[in-house]
Amino acid sequence: MDTIELQNEIERLKKSLNVTIVAHFYQKDEVFNVADFSGDSLQLAQVASKDKNPYLIFCGVAFMGESVKVLDPKKRVFMPKVACCSMAEMIDIDFFNKNVKILEDNGITKSDFIPITYINSSAAVKAAVGELGGYVCTSSNAKKIIQKALSKDKKIFFVPDKCLGQNVARDMSLKSAIIGEDSNEDIREAKIICYNGFCSVHQLFSVEDIEFYRKKYPGILVATHPECKPEVCEMSDFVGSTSQLIKYISELPIEQKVVVGTEFNMVNRLREKNTYILSSTKPECPTMNETTLEDLYETLKSIENKSFKNEIIVDKNVIKWAKVALDRMMEIS
Ligand code: 13P
Ligand code: SF4
C-alpha cells in the first residue's frame, strides 16, 4: 500500500473499531497527520486518560503509553512501537535506590526530601516516587510541582533529568547539585538535588550554536526546551515545553526570525519562513522516529483480528503507587 492508501485504511479502521490515536509532537509527519489528538506529554496524558473509546493507540515513547495505562488501568493501550526514551532508560529502581542511599549517607533521610520524577521515567520509578510521598511532573508543569513540594519545607530529589532540575532551580533562584558530579558539601547544601540523567537529543544544542545564530541574524530570538543544558536555556529568550514552544513561536510576527532548540520533526512543522534549527546536526529523536505508518496500520489490524499486538501491560502493584504520583500531578495541573 502507498501512503495515501495506508492513511485511508487507518481512518477506516480507527472509526470502525472505536480506536483513538494520539501522537506526540515529535512523531514523523505521516504518523502525526492521522492522529486524533497531538500534544505535549501532559496534554496527551490528560486527553488520553479521559478519552471514552475502549482502545487507545499511543504514537510516542514507552513511558507515555505506560502513563495512560496507569492513569486509566481499564483502558486497553497499544503502541505501534514500544520505543524507549533514552533518558527514561537512564534510571531504574536499582539506580533510584542507590541514589537515595547516597542522600542518606549525606545525612539527608527520606523524611528530609520529596522525590519528583519527570514523566520521562518508567512506571516502576514513578511507583517508587509515589510510595515516598512524591510527584510526577512534565516539562510544562515542573516549576508548579516543585513549588508545591517546596511548600512542605523539604529538599527535592529530582529524577532523571538533571537539566530540567537545574533549569527550574535557576528560574526559582534555588541552589541545585547533581549526584555524581558535585561534591557532597554541594549536595548537602542544595535545595534541589538532581539525578545524573539527560536527553541525548537536547544535549546537541550549544552556547556556540546560539552565538552563531545571533551573529548571523542580529535580532533573532532563541527558543529552547528545558531539557537543554542550563547554559543554553540561560541564554535563550524563551524556554518551554513542546506545546509552550509552539504557542510562543506561532504568536511571533512572521518576519521575526527564531531559532529553536528541540526535536527536528516538530520544528520542521512550525512555520514556513524565518524558523531555524539550533544545531548543525539534525536533532532527531531516534526512538520517537521508530514509529511508522505501517506500524500503526499493523496495530489497528491486530485490534481488528484480536491478536492485540504491543498492548501496554503494567503490573498491578506498580500501577497502585505510580498512579498516586501521577494523580498528585494531575490535581495540581
Ligand atoms: P514535552 O512534555 O515538552 O512534550 O516533552 C517531552 C519530551 O520527551 C521532550 O524531549
Ligand atoms: Fe526522550 Fe529525548 Fe527523545 Fe524526548 S527527545 S523522547 S527526552 S530521548
Side-chain angles (χ1 to χ4, degrees):
M1 273 190 269
D2 65 21
T3 304
I4 303 289
E5 284 168 336
L6 269 173
Q7 282 171 340
N8 290 341
E9 264 301 277
I10 287 169
E11 283 299 328
R12 185 188 68 75
L13 283 166
K14 79 175 180 190
K15 283 198 187 99
S16 71
L17 298 168
N18 295 325
V19 178
T20 301
I21 299 175
V22 300
H24 187 265
F25 290 128
Y26 292 169
Q27 290 288 295
K28 287 178 194 295
D29 287 355
E30 60 182 38
V31 174
F32 183 83
N33 290 338
V34 294
D36 299 299
F37 299 101
S38 53
D40 67 15
S41 307
L42 179 63
Q43 292 168 328
L44 290 180
Q46 286 168 330
V47 162
S49 59
K50 286 195 189 115
D51 185 66
K52 295 281 176 269
N53 270 339
Y55 301 118
L56 182 105
I57 299 184
F58 205 123
C59 303
V61 283
F63 74 80
M64 297 179 169
E66 259 191 4
S67 297
V68 178
K69 184 70 188 173
V70 169
L71 283 164
D72 184 1
K74 286 198 195 81
K75 192 183 293 295
R76 298 194 69 174
V77 183
F78 302 85
M79 298 192 78
K81 273 271 162 68
V82 190
C84 291
C85 158
S86 59
M87 182 204 288
E89 291 289 288
M90 286 181 191
I91 187 164
D92 60 14
I93 284 298
D94 270 2
F95 280 123
F96 180 84
N97 289 335
K98 276 181 190 146
N99 277 256
V100 169
K101 172 85 174 51
I102 292 172
L103 295 182
E104 286 170 341
D105 290 346
N106 275 285
I108 305 165
T109 66
K110 286 179 184 149
S111 58
D112 297 324
F113 69 82
I114 295 189
I116 298 180
T117 182
Y118 190 25
I119 196 164
N120 298 37
S121 56
S122 67
V125 168
K126 291 182 180 82
V129 164
E131 214 169 344
L132 286 177
Y135 302 77
V136 174
C137 77
T138 73
S139 57
S140 62
N141 63 17
K143 189 173 170 184
K144 219 178 188 180
I145 303 286
I146 288 178
Q147 268 166 343
K148 170 77 183 175
L150 285 172
S151 68
K152 297 179 181 170
D153 204 25
K154 293 189 180 191
K155 287 177 183 287
I156 305 293
F157 173 40
F158 192 85
V159 308
D161 188 7
K162 64 177 173 185
C163 294
L164 180 60
Q166 286 173 292
N167 283 323
V168 178
R170 182 182 44 81
D171 194 26
M172 296 173 73
S173 305
L174 295 171
K175 185 173 164 51
S176 63
I178 302 161
I179 298 174
E181 267 186 29
D182 293 316
S183 68
N184 285 341
E185 197 185 343
D186 285 334
I187 287 170
R188 284 194 289 270
E189 282 172 7
K191 198 75 183 158
I192 301 185
I193 305 163
C194 304
Y195 183 83
N196 200 351
F198 55 86
C199 165
S200 44
V201 180
H202 287 84
Q203 298 305 295
L204 285 174
F205 309 112
S206 68
V207 163
E208 289 73 28
D209 293 324
I210 297 182
E211 285 167 351
F212 169 84
Y213 273 100
R214 287 205 170 131
K215 201 167 168 201
K216 186 165 178 187
Y217 301 118
I220 194 168
L221 294 173
V222 179
T224 55
H225 193 278
E227 289 173 11
C228 293
K229 294 173 197 157
E231 59 270 30
V232 167
C233 291
E234 198 171 354
M235 281 179 78
S236 302
D237 298 289
F238 181 81
V239 180
S241 73
T242 50
S243 61
Q244 290 164 346
L245 285 169
I246 291 171
K247 184 169 185 300
Y248 173 75
I249 293 160
S250 64
E251 286 172 359
L252 294 174
I254 191 62
E255 63 278 7
Q256 172 64 57
K257 290 188 189 331
V258 61
V259 61
V260 192
T262 197
E263 214 271 345
F264 176 81
N265 289 334
M266 184 185 115
V267 182
N268 197 37
R269 278 192 294 264
L270 283 176
R271 300 195 304 176
E272 265 179 37
K273 278 186 179 173
N274 292 330
T275 308
Y276 304 86
I277 285 267
L278 186 63
S279 174
S280 48
T281 308
K282 195 176 178 187
E284 281 185 310
C285 173
T287 43
M288 281 282 185
N289 273 276
E290 278 185 34
T291 305
T292 64
L293 211 51
E294 284 82 4
D295 296 326
L296 181 49
Y297 170 71
E298 292 297 328
T299 308
L300 280 160
K301 287 297 283 180
S302 85
I303 295 175
E304 186 182 45
N305 66 30
K306 305 217 179 313
S307 62
F308 300 118
K309 192 178 165 221
N310 289 352
E311 179 162 7
I312 302 300
I313 307 288
V314 184
D315 181 271
K316 271 196 191 116
N317 295 322
V318 171
I319 287 187
K320 184 182 159 200
W321 284 108
K323 186 160 168 36
V324 169
L326 272 162
D327 283 343
R328 284 186 188 129
M329 170 183 82
M330 291 299 197
E331 271 164 37
I332 301 169
S333 308

